[in-house]
Amino acid sequence: MPIYNAPLADMKFILNDVFNAEQFWQSNENLAHLDAATAEAILEEMAKFAQNVTLPLNRTGDEEGATYNNGTVTTPAGFKEAFKQYAQGGWIGLGAEEEWGGQGMPKMLTVLSDEMLFATNPSFMLYPLLSVGAGMALNSYASQEQKETYLPKIYSGEWSGTMCLTEPHSGTDLGIIKTKAERNEDGTYNITGTKIFITGGDHDLAENIIHLVLAKTPDAPAGSRGISLFIVPKFMVNEDGSVGERNAAGPGSIEHKMGIKASATCVMNFDGAKGYLVGKENEGLAAMFVMMNYERLSMGIQGLGASEFAYQNAAQYATDRLQGRSASGVKSPNKPADSILVHGDVRRMLLNVRANNEASRAFAVYVGQQLDITKFSTDAAAVKKANDRVALLTPIAKAYLTDTAFQATLDAQMCFGGHGYIREWGMEQCVRDLRIAQIYEGTNGVQSQDLIGRKTIKCNGAYIAEYIEEIRDFANSLDADLNFIKDATLDAATEIADLTQFVLAQAAESVEFPNAAAVDYLHAVGLLSFAYMFARIANAAKDKDGEFFQNKLALAQYFAQRILPELDMRIAKVKAGSDLIMNFSENYFTSQA
Amino acid sequence: MPIYNAPLADMKFILNDVFNAEQFWQSNENLAHLDAATAEAILEEMAKFAQNVTLPLNRTGDEEGATYNNGTVTTPAGFKEAFKQYAQGGWIGLGAEEEWGGQGMPKMLTVLSDEMLFATNPSFMLYPLLSVGAGMALNSYASQEQKETYLPKIYSGEWSGTMCLTEPHSGTDLGIIKTKAERNEDGTYNITGTKIFITGGDHDLAENIIHLVLAKTPDAPAGSRGISLFIVPKFMVNEDGSVGERNAAGPGSIEHKMGIKASATCVMNFDGAKGYLVGKENEGLAAMFVMMNYERLSMGIQGLGASEFAYQNAAQYATDRLQGRSASGVKSPNKPADSILVHGDVRRMLLNVRANNEASRAFAVYVGQQLDITKFSTDAAAVKKANDRVALLTPIAKAYLTDTAFQATLDAQMCFGGHGYIREWGMEQCVRDLRIAQIYEGTNGVQSQDLIGRKTIKCNGAYIAEYIEEIRDFANSLDADLNFIKDATLDAATEIADLTQFVLAQAAESVEFPNAAAVDYLHAVGLLSFAYMFARIANAAKDKDGEFFQNKLALAQYFAQRILPELDMRIAKVKAGSDLIMNFSENYFTSQA
């Protein structure tokens, strides 16, 4: 049975010591209701829920899976009760507006509570996650009446939400969706079309499901400028807010997948279903992107959660497994062999995972803080700056945190040897479940295009220049006893600044260059971001006594010397340009000749 | 339905143009029965078998899986007939001695036929693979009578073979196995113990199963010097060679795994089963290593096969999938979108996979040729040199070819977007099935220890020095128009020579260093090996007309500029030493504090 102990010590260290969260909250009138003790109490409560409720349902959920039968989806045993308990604990609305029944907690905090749920049961977590994303989109773009109708029910968990974008022929390229929305005289619409890959498209956890559906009106402009967003409830909502008759929207089947098997991934059929426009016609993508950006950071948290889960189990296994002897002499003479922790290669894998976890967690809180500034700050200049930062870092949070986490789960699985391949140990499930995080909500390739294109080239490198300036200012403020990470961070900042200039110059010359360079550029910026996080971690730890803080410094050193060398490789790949890639004929790829 | 077209054009190019196989065969009296036309005919036959017989059973085999019921294992529908057809085609003994019913084909050829089977159905391939491995161990160490009894039946497919090493508490560390072998007065032994992870430990494909079992006699020395090897047949063999009564050896259960689900991975119980000593007491490990080394190269071929399968399907999907438009202008104006092959990032992934395939294939043939020299050459000096080379390259063939192939299957899966995560497309199965190749037959971490320890430090770098000398001689012979790969290869050779000196010096100072540096050192040597292969490929292609050959040069260039930059990262990690890793307390790993 896999273990999980919520990493509360590191969470508290990051909130309190690295980011001085309480001071940040108290200095903002919209967050002044929150202090460190309350935040810690919330994390401790979530830790109990994750350890006691969702963890035990993770393996069984994978074995049983969500099932489809006669037009309805059933979740695995225990999910319904767990969802009810989660909803009743107020967790769905933890970060939502108090006006609609939420608890108004900042993102800095909710990224950490989300991490615990993703760590212990990613399939389960996806159900409330989609509800929260739908809630955010409605809160930003829906009418007052729509908000009143849907938001309290969504945050209470009575109802849930989905996002219906993808169609069989249209995923990344939403401009070519075919789902139609025909206007009725009463201002409603009839929605007709098929959507695929709809997470939580149907289930038995809530009494109603509120689908947010992208569709095109008959006279809409072609492409992505002609997409509208509609609310399509599974059951119609009566005047008094109660659930009425069934709408013509439902699942046609569910997908059989590599992982997250307890999460129902539905093919959704809309057969002239009644829909309600959200915002204005043809402006649906903007509303959907509120939801998407939220989900994208969440996918990074999914990575972090899986990587933490993988770490804890691998570290425990490595401690317990006796095999071979230490190169420096027998360590456990009374046992038939030493623990495999005596082997440098096993430690190397574990340290890779742990470094990933601590940097990812700090980075998630950092991005959460930027989101909180955009939402809660009253300082317009600060909001503008934070908006730019969020725009820059969202694709990194999604893609870099899931790419590194996936490698981390592989390293952790490898610590188990053959047992890592066996289902009962839970490690192979962790790998399978996480793999989707690199793919969905825009593949990591698409995230990289977003970073290099919209977020870098389009603003002529302004966003990244601001980010680098902040990093340099911070690194330059560090004492000389932190030179090991100070210098590494400053060097990385200079390399990224130079690389960005190279990217801008190349992009001006070759339209093909950005796409080909994107993934390596994203990883390069991700490495700089982790260096920055370890600089902040090291600075927070350096003057404090105790092994806990010394180990933070040692792990930062490990990162600088054993992980950061990847940066030069990424730079070399970006600099190799795109000609080598684009010069092959299209025919080459499917031809042996 | 996934596709597969055997890559015969590249196979022929590698055999004929890169390695001048016919000339090599004809110059060796033991191989002079083979010419290029015959070799090609064999490959074409195997291609038909792979495409028509094993490919269609791959998805169904995964869905159905091997099943265990009441002490017997049943393989998925169609496996029995396919195995019979495979056996009747003479494929099991393709590389085995003609004396025992084999066809005496060289390894240079069988690596290519094996690749096709691994590509189309790795679970199926494992059944005959274990038979061949068992056959090789018996051929090297068994008595004449034992060979006569077992080998013809194994190569005909009437019987199959297994290797029974691992026990619940003992995997990498075979010195602590507990299975007992008690001598009987008639010279047989009673074998008692439990083995786990036994591939093909039971099944319904053959009428008998010959288990090769490691066990300890009561008075055996402690550790790995006290291990003996036994033949333990599932059914006793009568005087006339027919199958007699059941032996006390059978499966207790099968494992539920991440992948290769159609391959039965058994827990085997030996309850005083009758066993026959192979060779001498306490010399069992040497015999088992004959088998293990064969299997280890085969795992590399498993990687290559999966990577080729993944490539073909991803390239086809990318060609068919219309999404977005080319940055350089619409390419398919009559279609709703362009093929995703217009995007540099998609091409980058495909080219990574294809470069991996072509270099891996050349490397497999190269190692195969070295094995053929050890087996067939009559020149003692050449045999000695080839033995050293095989010793050096076996861990690289196993670990590097599976590590790079696994990444390749991930890249290919990513080309599918969300569809890559759905079972029916077959890509997620490819990833799951291949993952085990990095783990079994000695994890890739253990392979790396073998390379840096026994194969490098122990001989003071002699093996790698000889290898580097060969590479330099070859690269120096290249014309100036191949400078792009000539210089890259010579630079890599120098870097590896320097790195090896660093490793030897560090190893003399720190007993902990080699283990911590091993994986990065192996990858560094792997990269040099691929550079060498591309140098040979480029040289074979350069004076020939046609797109096929030009593309070989372009892919070599892609490798040099977009893959080889990883070398410096690996070197930096090796040079970071082991102190950063070993200084953490053992307690740190499971502690949050």
Side-chain angles (χ1 to χ4, degrees):
Chain A
M1 169 84 189
I3 58 166
Y4 178 73
N5 295 297
L8 293 171
D10 193 50
M11 289 177 169
K12 293 176 186 176
F13 168 72
I14 288 174
L15 277 183
N16 300 333
D17 298 80
V18 179
F19 289 100
N20 301 310
E22 189 176 64
Q23 193 186 322
F24 170 71
W25 295 330
Q26 297 293 320
S27 67
N28 185 314
E29 60 179 309
N30 295 315
L31 289 169
H33 59 284
L34 184 60
D35 57 25
T38 307
E40 291 183 11
I42 290 171
L43 294 177
E44 282 159 15
E45 279 308 302
M46 177 53 106
K48 285 180 205 158
F49 184 83
Q51 290 162 188
N52 299 331
V53 180
T54 45
L55 177 65
L57 297 176
N58 195 41
R59 286 283 309 122
T60 54
D62 182 65
E63 293 293 341
E64 189 180 342
T67 51
Y68 173 85
N69 201 7
N70 275 334
T72 58
V73 171
T74 307
T75 57
F79 271 52
K80 204 166 172 173
E81 296 72 19
F83 187 80
K84 195 171 177 187
Q85 199 177 332
Y86 186 77
Q88 287 175 346
W91 293 112
I92 297 174
L94 185 65
E97 292 65 30
E98 289 167 276
E99 182 182 5
W100 308 118
Q103 300 197 42
M105 288 296 150
K107 196 78 184 166
M108 282 181 89
L109 186 64
T110 61
V111 292
L112 297 174
S113 60
D114 285 358
E115 179 199 325
M116 297 186 233
L117 215 53
F118 270 126
T120 50
N121 201 323
S123 281
F124 177 87
M125 176 57 176
L126 291 174
Y127 293 103
L129 183 76
L130 270 290
S131 290
V132 173
M136 288 189 70
L138 292 175
N139 188 58
S140 301
Y141 285 87
S143 68
Q144 182 69 13
E145 191 191 334
Q146 288 172 332
K147 289 182 195 177
E148 285 169 9
T149 304
Y150 299 106
L151 289 178
K153 299 272 192 183
I154 286 176
Y155 292 132
S156 70
E158 289 162 271
W159 300 353
S160 73
T162 73
M163 56 197 284
C164 300
L165 288 73
T166 303
E167 300 182 4
H169 69 292
S170 161
T172 299
D173 187 357
L174 289 170
I176 56 175
I177 61 167
K178 292 179 182 167
T179 298
K180 279 185 252 175
E182 292 167 303
R183 272 177 226 102
N184 297 316
E185 298 204 345
D186 64 356
T188 65
Y189 292 75
N190 285 350
I191 310 293
T192 302
T194 299
K195 298 285 182 179
I196 63 169
F197 299 162
I198 307 309
T199 301
D202 197 54
H203 56 73
D204 53 4
L205 305 178
E207 64 171 12
N208 201 3
I209 303 176
I210 310 307
H211 304 292
L212 295 190
V213 183
L214 292 185
K216 306 195 78 157
T217 51
D219 46 5
S224 57
R225 282 187 305 270
I227 297 175
S228 305
L229 180 66
F230 299 89
I231 293 169
V232 183
K234 175 179 175 181
F235 292 100
M236 305 308 293
V237 179
N238 297 326
E239 288 278 320
D240 64 354
S242 64
V243 164
E245 66 186 73
R246 180 71 190 247
N247 201 354
S253 62
I254 61 173
E255 304 288 353
H256 301 282
K257 310 186 299 294
M258 185 181 194
I260 52 165
K261 295 188 179 187
S263 168
T265 306
C266 300
V267 174
M268 294 298 295
N269 297 321
F270 298 91
D271 300 320
K274 181 85 80 179
Y276 307 94
L277 183 68
V278 178
K280 295 181 183 161
E281 280 191 11
N282 303 326
E283 295 183 5
L285 266 192
M288 202 50 113
F289 263 95
V290 169
M291 188 168 181
M292 295 263 281
N293 280 331
Y294 171 81
E295 308 288 356
R296 284 175 177 180
L297 173 55
S298 296
M299 302 323 31
I301 310 297
Q302 179 177 1
L304 166 58
S307 185
E308 174 67 34
F309 174 86
Y311 174 79
Q312 291 187 17
N313 284 279
Q316 190 61 53
Y317 183 85
T319 303
D320 296 342
R321 178 73 172 172
L322 309 179
Q323 206 79 177
R325 290 296 187 185
S326 165
S328 59
V330 172
K331 292 287 180 292
S332 304
N334 298 327
K335 294 181 177 170
D338 291 335
S339 145
I340 60 172
L341 267 183
V342 301
H343 305 305
D345 186 51
V346 173
R347 288 170 163 245
R348 176 189 66 81
M349 293 189 283
L350 289 171
L351 290 169
N352 283 348
V353 186
R354 188 147 177 175
N356 180 63
N357 297 348
E358 300 194 5
S360 294
R361 188 172 293 122
F363 188 69
V365 170
Y366 173 73
V367 178
Q369 187 176 39
Q370 300 296 319
L371 280 163
D372 289 334
I373 295 170
T374 69
K375 184 171 176 182
F376 296 109
S377 173
T378 51
D379 174 346
V383 169
K384 159 84 178 72
K385 198 176 154 191
N387 266 322
D388 293 353
R389 186 65 40 81
V390 167
L392 179 76
L393 299 186
T394 295
I396 298 167
K398 196 279 179 179
Y400 191 65
L401 262 55
T402 56
D403 279 354
T404 59
F406 188 71
Q407 182 55 51
T409 61
L410 292 174
D411 275 341
Q413 184 188 24
M414 187 58 91
C415 291
F416 282 76
H419 298 279
Y421 201 68
I422 305 299
R423 293 231 294 264
E424 65 181 288
W425 289 90
M427 293 307 292
E428 62 85 35
Q429 181 190 347
C430 181
V431 171
R432 286 189 289 104
D433 282 352
L434 181 55
R435 177 61 172 145
I436 190 60
Q438 299 175 286
I439 299 172
Y440 63 10
E441 306 304 331
T443 66
N444 287 359
V446 169
Q447 302 301 324
S448 304
Q449 306 306 327
D450 182 43
L451 174 68
I452 203 169
R454 272 188 293 258
K455 309 300 175 55
T456 303
I457 295 167
K458 196 175 169 192
C459 66
N460 200 30
Y463 295 172
I464 185 109
E466 284 173 32
Y467 184 44
I468 289 172
E469 191 187 339
E470 173 183 313
I471 294 171
R472 280 179 168 151
D473 286 349
F474 182 82
N476 280 320
S477 76
L478 296 179
D479 291 346
D481 56 352
L482 291 181
N483 273 351
F484 71 90
I485 188 71
K486 175 180 182 165
D487 294 347
T489 304
L490 287 170
D491 289 350
T494 298
E495 291 197 275
I496 296 299
D498 293 348
L499 184 66
T500 303
Q501 288 311 309
F502 177 85
V503 165
L504 295 172
Q506 284 292 304
E509 286 184 17
S510 159
V511 292
E512 303 286 13
F513 172 80
N515 199 302
V519 164
D520 290 305
Y521 181 70
L522 181 137
H523 274 258
V525 181
L527 284 158
L528 169 64
S529 300
F530 274 21
Y532 178 35
M533 291 303 113
F534 273 116
R536 294 187 71 149
I537 289 167
N539 188 53
K542 88 179 176 68
D543 290 329
K544 301 196 173 78
D545 284 337
E547 229 182 333
F548 178 85
F549 299 106
Q550 284 164 25
N551 285 332
K552 298 287 179 200
L553 294 170
L555 195 63
Q557 208 153 2
Y558 180 87
F559 172 82
Q561 291 196 40
R562 302 235 11 151
I563 296 179
L564 196 52
E566 190 187 325
L567 180 57
D568 287 341
M569 177 187 83
R570 295 293 177 178
I571 291 170
K573 290 184 178 189
V574 171
K575 293 200 167 172
S578 59
D579 287 355
L580 283 171
I581 292 173
M582 302 312 293
N583 285 349
F584 286 98
S585 72
E586 272 204 37
N587 189 45
Y588 168 73
F589 291 91
T590 50
S591 163
Q592 293 191 18
Chain B
M1 170 84 190
I3 58 165
Y4 179 73
N5 294 296
L8 293 171
D10 192 51
M11 289 177 169
K12 291 174 187 176
F13 167 73
I14 289 174
L15 276 183
N16 299 333
D17 299 77
V18 179
F19 289 99
N20 301 310
E22 187 175 70
Q23 193 185 322
F24 170 72
W25 296 330
Q26 296 293 318
S27 68
N28 185 313
E29 61 179 309
N30 294 316
L31 289 168
H33 59 284
L34 183 61
D35 56 27
T38 306
E40 291 182 11
I42 290 171
L43 294 178
E44 282 159 15
E45 279 308 302
M46 176 53 105
K48 286 181 206 160
F49 184 84
Q51 291 161 189
N52 300 331
V53 181
T54 45
L55 177 65
L57 297 176
N58 195 41
R59 286 281 310 120
T60 55
D62 182 65
E63 293 293 340
E64 187 179 344
T67 50
Y68 172 86
N69 202 7
N70 274 335
T72 58
V73 172
T74 307
T75 57
F79 270 52
K80 202 167 174 173
E81 297 71 20
F83 187 80
K84 194 172 177 187
Q85 200 177 332
Y86 187 77
Q88 285 174 347
W91 293 113
I92 298 174
L94 186 66
E97 292 67 29
E98 289 167 278
E99 182 183 4
W100 308 117
Q103 299 196 44
M105 289 296 150
K107 195 79 184 166
M108 283 182 88
L109 186 63
T110 61
V111 292
L112 297 174
S113 60
D114 286 358
E115 179 199 326
M116 298 186 235
L117 216 52
F118 270 125
T120 50
N121 202 322
S123 281
F124 178 87
M125 176 57 177
L126 291 174
Y127 293 104
L129 183 78
L130 270 289
S131 290
V132 174
M136 288 189 69
L138 292 174
N139 188 57
S140 300
Y141 285 87
S143 68
Q144 183 69 13
E145 191 190 335
Q146 287 172 332
K147 291 182 195 177
E148 286 169 7
T149 303
Y150 298 105
L151 289 178
K153 299 272 193 182
I154 285 175
Y155 292 130
S156 71
E158 290 163 273
W159 300 352
S160 72
T162 74
M163 56 198 284
C164 300
L165 288 74
T166 302
E167 301 181 4
H169 68 292
S170 159
T172 299
D173 187 356
L174 289 170
I176 56 175
I177 61 168
K178 291 178 181 167
T179 298
K180 279 185 251 173
E182 292 167 304
R183 271 176 228 104
N184 297 315
E185 296 205 345
D186 64 356
T188 65
Y189 292 74
N190 285 350
I191 311 293
T192 303
T194 299
K195 298 285 183 178
I196 66 169
F197 299 161
I198 307 309
T199 301
D202 198 52
H203 56 74
D204 53 4
L205 304 178
E207 64 171 14
N208 202 2
I209 302 176
I210 311 306
H211 305 292
L212 296 190
V213 183
L214 292 185
K216 305 196 78 156
T217 53
D219 46 4
S224 58
R225 282 186 306 270
I227 297 174
S228 304
L229 180 67
F230 299 89
I231 294 168
V232 182
K234 175 179 175 181
F235 292 99
M236 305 307 294
V237 178
N238 298 324
E239 288 278 320
D240 64 355
S242 63
V243 164
E245 66 187 74
R246 181 71 190 250
N247 201 355
S253 62
I254 62 174
E255 304 288 353
H256 301 282
K257 311 187 297 293
M258 183 180 196
I260 54 165
K261 295 188 179 188
S263 168
T265 305
C266 300
V267 174
M268 295 297 295
N269 297 321
F270 297 92
D271 301 318
K274 181 85 81 178
Y276 308 95
L277 184 69
V278 178
K280 294 181 183 160
E281 279 189 12
N282 303 327
E283 295 181 7
L285 267 192
M288 201 49 110
F289 263 96
V290 170
M291 187 167 181
M292 295 262 281
N293 279 330
Y294 170 81
E295 307 289 356
R296 284 175 176 180
L297 173 56
S298 296
M299 300 322 38
I301 310 297
Q302 179 176 0
L304 167 59
S307 184
E308 174 68 33
F309 174 85
Y311 174 80
Q312 291 186 18
N313 284 278
Q316 190 60 54
Y317 183 86
T319 303
D320 296 342
R321 177 76 172 171
L322 309 180
Q323 206 79 177
R325 290 295 186 185
S326 166
S328 59
V330 171
K331 292 288 180 292
S332 304
N334 299 325
K335 293 182 179 169
D338 290 336
S339 144
I340 60 171
L341 265 183
V342 301
H343 305 305
D345 186 52
V346 173
R347 287 171 164 242
R348 176 190 65 83
M349 292 188 283
L350 289 171
L351 290 169
N352 282 348
V353 185
R354 187 146 176 176
N356 180 63
N357 296 349
E358 300 194 7
S360 294
R361 188 172 293 122
F363 188 69
V365 170
Y366 173 72
V367 178
Q369 187 176 40
Q370 300 297 319
L371 280 163
D372 289 335
I373 294 169
T374 69
K375 184 172 177 183
F376 296 110
S377 172
T378 51
D379 174 348
V383 169
K384 160 83 177 70
K385 198 174 153 192
N387 266 322
D388 293 352
R389 187 65 40 82
V390 167
L392 179 75
L393 298 186
T394 295
I396 298 167
K398 196 278 179 181
Y400 190 66
L401 263 57
T402 56
D403 279 354
T404 60
F406 187 71
Q407 182 55 50
T409 62
L410 293 174
D411 276 341
Q413 185 189 23
M414 187 58 89
C415 291
F416 282 75
H419 298 279
Y421 201 68
I422 306 297
R423 293 231 294 265
E424 66 180 288
W425 288 91
M427 294 308 290
E428 62 85 35
Q429 181 191 347
C430 181
V431 171
R432 286 189 288 106
D433 282 353
L434 181 55
R435 178 61 173 145
I436 189 61
Q438 298 175 286
I439 299 172
Y440 62 12
E441 306 305 333
T443 66
N444 286 0
V446 169
Q447 302 301 323
S448 303
Q449 305 306 328
D450 181 44
L451 174 69
I452 204 170
R454 270 187 294 258
K455 308 300 175 55
T456 302
I457 295 167
K458 195 175 169 191
C459 67
N460 200 29
Y463 295 172
I464 186 106
E466 283 174 33
Y467 184 44
I468 289 172
E469 191 186 341
E470 175 183 310
I471 294 171
R472 281 180 167 150
D473 286 349
F474 182 81
N476 280 320
S477 77
L478 296 180
D479 291 347
D481 55 353
L482 291 180
N483 273 351
F484 71 90
I485 189 72
K486 175 179 182 166
D487 294 346
T489 305
L490 288 171
D491 289 350
T494 298
E495 291 196 276
I496 296 299
D498 292 349
L499 184 66
T500 303
Q501 289 311 309
F502 177 85
V503 164
L504 295 172
Q506 284 292 306
E509 286 183 16
S510 159
V511 291
E512 303 286 12
F513 172 80
N515 199 303
V519 164
D520 290 304
Y521 182 71
L522 180 136
H523 274 257
V525 180
L527 284 158
L528 169 65
S529 299
F530 274 20
Y532 178 35
M533 291 303 112
F534 272 115
R536 294 187 72 149
I537 289 167
N539 187 54
K542 88 180 176 71
D543 291 329
K544 302 197 173 78
D545 285 335
E547 232 183 331
F548 178 86
F549 300 106
Q550 285 164 24
N551 285 332
K552 297 287 179 200
L553 294 170
L555 196 63
Q557 210 154 359
Y558 180 88
F559 171 82
Q561 290 196 40
R562 300 231 16 147
I563 297 178
L564 196 52
E566 188 186 327
L567 180 57
D568 287 342
M569 178 188 82
R570 294 293 179 179
I571 291 170
K573 290 185 178 189
V574 170
K575 292 200 168 170
S578 58
D579 287 354
L580 283 171
I581 292 174
M582 303 312 292
N583 285 349
F584 286 98
S585 72
E586 272 204 36
N587 188 46
Y588 169 74
F589 291 91
T590 49
S591 163
Q592 293 191 18

